[in-house]
Amino acid sequence: MDGDMFVVGDVHGHRDELADALRERGLIDDADDWSGGTATLWFLGDFVDRGPDGIGAIKLVRELQRQAADAGGRVETLLGNHEILLLGVHRFGDEDVPSDFGPRSFARSWEINGGCEADQDGLTDELVEWLATRPMLACDGDHLLMHSDTLEYLEWGSSIDKINETVHDVLAGDDLSRWWDVWRRMTTRYAFRGPHGQDAARALLDELGGERIVHGHSVIADQLGIHPVDIEQPYLYAGGRVLGIDAGLFAGGPCLVVPLPYVPED
């Protein structure tokens, strides 16, 4: 356990299922306190929407972050597109986004995409500040960690630091169009599928660093054409360059806590 690294995908409000999965890996104890020693635990975003207790999931992770640091471990998180949506509703509500494609607003998109009133009600100034300052991307060891399986990140810069800085500047401001652009780009997916997927993955890794991309966002079952309940492990594809870890927890799939580096089961 000491020194090991694990990664978790989209929790979508399923706080108790997350706790159970972490407990099964020995990362938390029966009281939901950190027991992972010096291990590193990454969350790739989308704590909220589509489930009963997104705020509870965030609070659990924040407490584990504090406890892990005290034990010499690390708990880190990235921003997912649903955090952008949550924060956008909080800041802009149903204000119309300037668009040539008809009426659009954060509130409408939030409602369409499984928004939960309890998540909005549970937001505090402290949580808003914490969420808005999470990174978009990170490179840990040989792994390029990202929420969305998209190349749109490169529209914000050609390095991880620049991308994170650019988006943080947007989220610190009040430009509705720029906020919406972050949400829109983060909803895109499937950049690493198909005959050119491996080339796209290699190009992104060459640009940003790492040897393997690890992402959430796109449910593994949708990629494989099966039901989430049949998912038992992450999805390694694009010639082994990309690892998808979103098993569709909100749709009945498991909460995967994936050890890195990932070695496929026989």
Side-chain angles (χ1 to χ4, degrees), residues 78-79 134-137 145-146 153 156 163-164 167 182 186:
L78 299 181
L79 267 172
R134 296 308 90 203
M136 298 285 281
L137 297 170
L145 305 174
M146 55 203 302
Y153 291 98
W156 298 307
I163 292 165
N164 288 336
V167 175
V182 175
M186 288 285 286

Side-chain angles (χ1 to χ4, degrees), residues 191-248:
F192 313 117
R193 284 177 60 171
H196 304 295
Q198 186 172 344
D199 290 339
R202 182 68 267 175
L204 187 65
L205 290 164
D206 287 345
E207 185 82 11
L208 300 180
E211 294 295 325
R212 177 179 285 172
I213 294 164
V214 184
H215 72 82
H217 188 51
S218 292
V219 178
I220 296 167
D222 293 341
Q223 301 237 52
L224 298 178
I226 60 179
H227 196 281
V229 298
D230 296 322
I231 297 297
E232 296 180 350
Q233 58 189 18
Y235 177 43
L236 188 63
Y237 66 109
R241 291 293 185 183
V242 183
L243 184 68
I245 65 167
D246 180 5

Side-chain angles (χ1 to χ4, degrees), residues 117 122 191 248:
E117 200 69 47

Side-chain angles (χ1 to χ4, degrees), residues 178-193:
R178 294 186 74 201
W179 270 75
W180 183 263
D181 186 62
V182 175
W183 156 248
R184 180 183 63 80
R185 292 186 187 281
M186 288 285 286
T187 61
T188 60
R189 63 181 80 238
Y190 299 147
F192 313 117
R193 284 177 60 171

Side-chain angles (χ1 to χ4, degrees), residues 14-252:
H14 290 73
R15 184 260 182 223
D16 292 343
E17 290 85 347
L18 169 62
D20 289 342
L22 295 175
R23 193 174 298 111
E24 197 169 301
R25 284 287 188 185
L27 291 166
I28 67 173
D29 61 21
D30 289 342
D32 291 352
D33 292 323
W34 179 256
S35 58
T38 60
T40 295
L41 175 61
W42 276 97
F43 291 90
L44 301 190
D46 277 10
F47 292 113
V48 297
D49 300 338
R50 297 180 175 160
D53 195 9
I55 297 299
I58 292 170
K59 288 181 176 178
L60 171 63
V61 170
R62 293 192 72 203
E63 181 61 20
L64 293 178
Q65 191 172 50
R66 182 189 65 78
Q67 294 174 350
D70 290 343
R74 287 193 299 143
V75 172
E76 308 283 1
T77 70
L78 299 181
L79 267 172
N81 61 305
H82 282 265
E83 278 75 55
I84 303 297
L85 187 56
L86 181 81
L87 294 170
V89 174
H90 178 76
R91 179 159 296 200
F92 299 105
D94 201 29
E95 183 179 345
D96 282 335
V97 178
S99 171
D100 296 329
F101 301 99
R104 295 183 175 190
S105 74
F106 275 107
R108 290 175 202 144
S109 287
W110 175 73
E111 186 174 356
I112 291 168
N113 287 280
C116 296
E117 200 69 47
D119 290 342
Q120 285 292 330
D121 292 343
L123 274 179
T124 63
D125 290 344
E126 183 182 11
L127 286 180
V128 168
E129 171 67 18
W130 184 80
L131 287 170
T133 54
R134 296 308 90 203
M136 298 285 281
L137 297 170
C139 194
D140 199 332
D142 291 333
H143 300 91
L144 177 61
L145 305 174
M146 55 203 302
H147 175 71
S148 303
D149 46 326
T150 181
L151 301 178
E152 293 291 319
Y153 291 98
L154 294 176
E155 295 299 316
W156 298 307
S158 57
S159 71
I160 289 175
D161 287 345
K162 181 59 177 176
I163 292 165
N164 288 336
E165 178 187 345
T166 300
V167 175
H168 286 161
D169 286 346
V170 173
L171 300 186
D174 291 309
D175 188 323
L176 173 55
S177 294
R178 294 186 74 201
W179 270 75
W180 183 263
D181 186 62
V182 175
W183 156 248
R184 180 183 63 80
R185 292 186 187 281
M186 288 285 286
T187 61
T188 60
R189 63 181 80 238
Y190 299 147
F192 313 117
R193 284 177 60 171
H196 304 295
Q198 186 172 344
D199 290 339
R202 182 68 267 175
L204 187 65
L205 290 164
D206 287 345
E207 185 82 11
L208 300 180
E211 294 295 325
R212 177 179 285 172
I213 294 164
V214 184
H215 72 82
H217 188 51
S218 292
V219 178
I220 296 167
D222 293 341
Q223 301 237 52
L224 298 178
I226 60 179
H227 196 281
V229 298
D230 296 322
I231 297 297
E232 296 180 350
Q233 58 189 18
Y235 177 43
L236 188 63
Y237 66 109
R241 291 293 185 183
V242 183
L243 184 68
I245 65 167
D246 180 5
L249 178 56
F250 73 93

